[in-house]
Amino acid sequence: MLDSKIPDGPLADKWDNYKEHVKLVNPGNRKKLDVIVVGTGLAGASCAASLAELGYNVKSFCFQDSPRRAHSVAAQGGVNAAKNYKNDGDSVFRMFSDTIKGGDFRSREANVYRLAECSANLIDQAVAQGVPFAREYGGYLNNRSFGGVQVSRTFYARGQTGQQLLLGAYQALMRQVGSGKVKAYTRHEMLELVVIDGKAKGIITRDLVTGEIERHAANAVVLGTGGYGKVYYLSTLAMGCNSSAIWRAHKKGAYMSGVSWIQFHPTCLPQSGEHQSKLTLMSESLRNDGRIWVPLKPHDDRKAIDIPEAERDYYLERRYPTFGNLAPRDIASRAAKERIDAGCGVGVMKNAVFLDFSKAIKEQGQEKIKEKYSNLFKIYDKINAVNAYEEPMLISPAAHFTMGGLWVDYELMTTIPGLFALGEANFADHGANRLGANSLLQASVDGYFIAPYSIPNYLAGELKAEKITTDHPAFAEAEKTVREQLRNFLTINGRLSADHFHKKLGQLLYNGCGLARSKESLTKTIAEITALRTQFYQDLKITGDEKVNSELEKAGRVADYFDLGLLMCDDALSREESCGAHFREEYQTPDGEALRNDKDYCYVSAWEWKGELEPHELHKEPLVFENVSLTVRSYK
């Protein structure tokens, strides 16, 4: 059932072989075909702009008031590309092997190699759009290092790389809106996927300004709606980020993959109290110059400046001398948690570690550090009223990125023909752990360079198919389902808000299926989530009506989070190994590192929805490694 459609030929030739044999659509026929793109982040905006440029009719949807507010705007540190501008030994193959190893050998070779291969083109594309990447004195594009690699391949625009790349994609999108090839629907949320004769043929949306339920038909549907890290409530994601688009597609037949592979970013601002609704990301790029440490003695309440060098534990440099403070995110986050749990945490809630720039400032000067990271230091000062040039930052791991998502084949098509998933909405490229600066890369490559080949390859077979309109009974049935769910939320009339349940769910998942998990914690968490889910449907309180109502929007998203949270725990429970961000406490080496089981678990999980409160069915896509060896992942 799971055909990944990997092209034939040597690894380095697979993408070229694919492009040389795809079906094409005549330019005159493209204007007869409609494509819906949900999401206007880097994946969605680049895909919509690229398809419209080719001549297809595109409808673009986002729940924000402007496509520019998509969450890609929040990415800070940079985007990777195998340009080897530093002449430090980088290459497409090295980037490929770094990414495979970084994901703990739980991703497809062909997909990852294509990501590395297309990376160089992305930088050229972005520069042509006017993205203001940092440059050296002579005018050449500059690079810096990110975690899990020993070369400098990260291109950056200070700490605003996501924003600048998104502005480039947004300009391309709005050019097509101006030309009439893209029709943009802002403040619209997708609430259902319409499937006709086994193929994706449209969506049901809700206008968040009027409350109107709308039908939209197309020949193909693309989801570029991001990840589901907000399931933990406290995360680096914006409050509006949610999993509903991919989850509604999942319930219509699209398999979910690697669901429990959640990345906790090691450099975020720590929680400071129960009042918070989100956490703030501090770019991984800071680990180029910042040194991470905790007091050597547990429960040390002295200020950082009062703790002498001999009484500091630079634990990443101690445990991983080869990579030091640039160890991969999953490893750096677990190491921080281990020190915090050992009583060495700092800050008001003793839930943080220090990120110290004193050595870098002494060696390079404050102006050089300011040149690299000034906006990040300003963010820190604005939130904490602390000058990080004079005393260390406080950082802590936080839920950030989901490696899991909808299962897709090499063409980025899900198990529903005609439904494509791009960027963080799919599982394709990162395995069990994403390397820093590969997120912006994947989203952009999927939208600019892969979708413009793979989606027309599908559409070529749809030219002779019957034109589907929104009068089809499947649209009426889907709309009925949406209206019934909204009406049910309004009629529960309990006592507690959707936010109350979301926060409780997030706490359960963080404790039982977070940075570490075990059979005992997962079994307990499944029972607790099931009980909380029952209470949600009995005691939810939604004020207002079906029109403009943000509480009603939240209720639908939280309802999806309950089912998603249960699947996350089931996925983690079924995988009796530790790999990447999936750290089962029962499966670790004597020195506390992840213990992989390639004999039994060298596969991609693909979960099939079987109905409300019914157990999912697990399908397995075996992973075959012909170009890299399955080795113990070590950064020591």
Side-chain angles (χ1 to χ4, degrees):
M1 292 180 65
L2 292 175
D3 180 8
S4 56
K5 300 179 184 175
I6 303 297
D8 295 329
L11 183 66
D13 297 336
K14 289 183 183 295
W15 179 230
D16 284 339
N17 289 345
Y18 175 83
K19 290 187 291 182
E20 288 167 3
H21 294 92
V22 293
K23 298 173 186 174
L24 301 177
V25 178
N26 180 284
N29 286 330
R30 294 173 194 168
K31 58 189 176 185
K32 302 175 184 177
L33 295 166
D34 305 317
V35 180
I36 285 171
V37 181
V38 186
T40 57
L42 272 176
S46 60
C47 176
S50 299
L51 291 176
E53 186 76 42
L54 289 171
Y56 298 97
N57 304 310
V58 179
K59 288 184 177 181
S60 169
F61 294 84
C62 68
F63 63 75
Q64 297 91 348
D65 58 357
S66 166
R68 289 186 301 173
R69 292 187 182 273
H71 197 59
S72 297
V73 77
Q76 297 172 345
V79 57
N80 288 332
K83 286 279 200 179
N84 195 30
Y85 280 174
K86 292 290 187 180
N87 198 28
D88 55 359
D90 202 9
S91 65
V92 169
F93 188 85
R94 187 177 294 277
M95 183 173 174
F96 153 73
S97 59
D98 284 345
T99 305
I100 286 281
K101 177 184 175 184
D104 218 351
F105 302 93
R106 291 294 178 263
S107 52
R108 294 191 200 118
E109 283 192 334
N111 287 65
V112 175
Y113 191 90
R114 178 177 62 184
L115 179 73
E117 183 180 359
C118 292
S119 64
N121 293 336
L122 172 62
I123 302 305
D124 298 338
Q125 166 93 0
V127 170
Q129 290 176 335
V131 173
F133 286 125
R135 293 179 181 268
E136 296 177 338
Y137 181 77
Y140 294 104
L141 295 180
N142 204 356
N143 295 119
R144 57 190 177 198
S145 294
F146 260 54
V149 304
Q150 293 180 300
V151 296
S152 295
R153 67 165 66 104
T154 304
F155 294 77
Y156 63 98
R158 284 201 175 177
Q160 306 169 4
T161 315
Q163 180 191 51
Q164 299 304 320
L165 284 171
L166 184 60
L167 286 173
Y170 169 75
Q171 290 172 155
L173 174 65
M174 296 312 292
R175 175 174 176 269
Q176 297 303 323
V177 171
S179 72
K181 293 305 294 181
V182 173
K183 186 167 184 181
Y185 294 82
T186 58
R187 300 294 287 141
H188 279 67
E189 182 172 25
M190 172 185 159
L191 294 182
E192 190 66 285
L193 177 72
V194 179
V195 178
I196 299 174
D197 297 329
K199 296 181 179 181
K201 290 295 182 181
I203 61 174
I204 304 296
T205 65
R206 180 169 177 266
D207 185 326
L208 301 182
V209 175
T210 66
E212 290 296 316
I213 305 299
E214 301 174 1
R215 306 176 183 182
H216 298 274
N219 299 96
V221 177
V222 182
L223 300 183
T225 53
Y228 48 88
K230 195 64 187 172
V231 69
Y232 288 95
Y233 188 73
L234 285 178
S235 77
T236 64
L237 280 71
M239 290 301 295
C241 294
N242 64 84
S243 66
S244 289
I246 62 173
W247 192 255
R248 306 293 169 95
H250 172 57
K251 293 171 74 171
K252 281 300 186 77
Y255 292 2
M256 287 285 288
S257 237
V259 196
S260 62
W261 292 344
I262 316 290
Q263 182 172 89
F264 284 75
H265 199 294
T267 51
C268 305
L269 300 189
Q271 182 182 1
S272 59
E274 293 298 318
H275 61 283
Q276 284 177 269
S277 56
K278 77 176 298 293
L279 299 172
T280 303
L281 172 69
M282 299 302 289
S283 170
E284 179 170 317
S285 61
L286 293 170
R287 291 198 276 149
N288 274 278
D289 291 299
R291 301 178 71 197
I292 296 173
W293 63 276
V294 294
L296 202 55
K297 300 175 184 175
H299 314 297
D300 191 331
D301 292 327
R302 288 177 293 175
K303 293 181 179 179
I305 198 170
D306 296 329
I307 301 175
E309 194 73 17
E311 296 178 30
R312 299 180 178 187
D313 180 13
Y314 294 90
Y315 58 88
L316 287 177
E317 297 174 20
R318 169 174 55 83
R319 292 182 60 179
Y320 308 101
T322 302
F323 284 76
N325 294 295
L326 284 175
R329 291 177 178 178
D330 58 325
I331 288 174
S333 290
R334 279 200 301 273
K337 181 180 185 297
E338 186 274 329
R339 289 291 80 203
I340 291 168
D341 290 347
C344 296
V346 296
V348 176
M349 299 180 67
K350 302 297 182 186
N351 62 343
V353 299
F354 290 123
L355 180 61
D356 194 333
F357 291 87
S358 58
K359 185 172 185 287
I361 291 172
K362 184 177 180 180
E363 293 175 351
Q364 303 175 41
Q366 183 170 314
E367 286 306 311
K368 188 65 177 178
I369 299 302
K370 187 177 291 187
E371 180 184 318
K372 297 178 185 177
Y373 313 114
S374 60
N375 69 304
L376 298 170
F377 278 67
K378 286 177 183 176
I379 291 172
Y380 190 84
D381 192 8
K382 186 174 182 178
I383 293 174
N384 297 288
V386 171
N387 184 346
Y389 296 108
E390 297 177 358
E391 58 182 278
M393 291 182 179
L394 295 180
I395 58 167
S396 185
H400 176 63
F401 186 90
T402 51
M403 283 71 70
L406 292 174
W407 184 92
V408 292
D409 58 24
Y410 189 75
E411 298 183 300
L412 306 184
M413 189 157 68
T414 69
T415 46
I416 299 176
L419 177 67
F420 297 81
L422 276 55
E424 196 178 351
N426 72 40
F427 87 100
D429 294 339
H430 307 297
N433 173 65
R434 176 175 68 79
L435 291 183
N438 271 352
S439 175
L440 295 177
L441 175 64
Q442 183 208 4
S444 300
V445 164
D446 284 0
Y448 284 127
F449 303 119
I450 300 175
Y453 283 95
S454 64
I455 295 176
N457 185 53
Y458 170 79
L459 291 174
E462 294 297 298
L463 273 169
K464 296 180 181 178
E466 178 188 358
K467 186 77 171 179
I468 299 295
T469 69
T470 55
D471 294 328
H472 193 283
F475 279 90
E477 184 63 29
E479 181 181 334
K480 178 184 175 185
T481 300
V482 167
R483 291 187 181 278
E484 285 179 352
Q485 186 195 46
L486 296 175
R487 197 173 300 118
N488 289 342
F489 288 145
L490 289 165
T491 56
I492 293 173
N493 201 26
R495 301 173 298 110
L496 301 170
S497 69
D499 277 336
H500 168 85
F501 288 102
H502 191 181
K503 185 179 290 188
K504 292 287 186 185
L505 173 63
Q507 291 170 341
L508 293 177
L509 283 170
Y510 182 81
N511 293 331
C513 189
L515 272 166
R517 55 281 296 262
S518 66
K519 182 177 181 179
E520 180 183 357
S521 75
L522 291 165
T523 304
K524 179 185 176 186
T525 302
I526 289 171
E528 291 173 331
I529 292 176
T530 302
L532 187 65
R533 183 183 185 277
T534 300
Q535 185 189 7
F536 171 80
Y537 283 103
Q538 294 174 348
D539 212 7
L540 174 68
K541 176 68 174 180
I542 301 294
T543 55
D545 54 25
E546 293 184 25
K547 295 180 181 177
V548 181
N549 193 337
S550 60
E551 291 303 305
L552 187 58
E553 298 160 26
K554 290 178 188 176
R557 297 166 186 172
V558 174
D560 294 332
Y561 281 145
F562 275 113
D563 293 338
L564 173 62
L566 288 170
L567 182 57
M568 284 167 56
C569 293
D570 286 337
D571 184 57
L573 195 59
S574 71
R575 191 173 281 274
E576 296 182 345
E577 66 163 353
S578 290
C579 60
H582 170 64
F583 190 75
R584 283 282 296 266
E585 292 175 333
E586 308 97 315
Y587 306 102
Q588 56 181 301
T589 63
D591 55 351
E593 302 297 335
L595 185 61
R596 226 173 49 233
N597 179 351
D598 295 327
K599 178 177 178 293
D600 298 317
Y601 297 98
C602 193
Y603 63 79
V604 170
S605 62
W607 295 92
E608 180 183 2
W609 172 266
K610 304 301 285 187
E612 293 286 344
L613 294 180
E614 293 294 322
H616 278 73
E617 183 177 349
L618 173 61
H619 304 271
K620 300 176 182 179
E621 179 198 337
L623 291 170
V624 179
F625 294 95
E626 299 174 341
N627 299 275
V628 294
S629 300
L630 283 165
T631 58
V632 175
R633 179 173 174 249
S634 174
Y635 294 91
K636 292 183 179 297

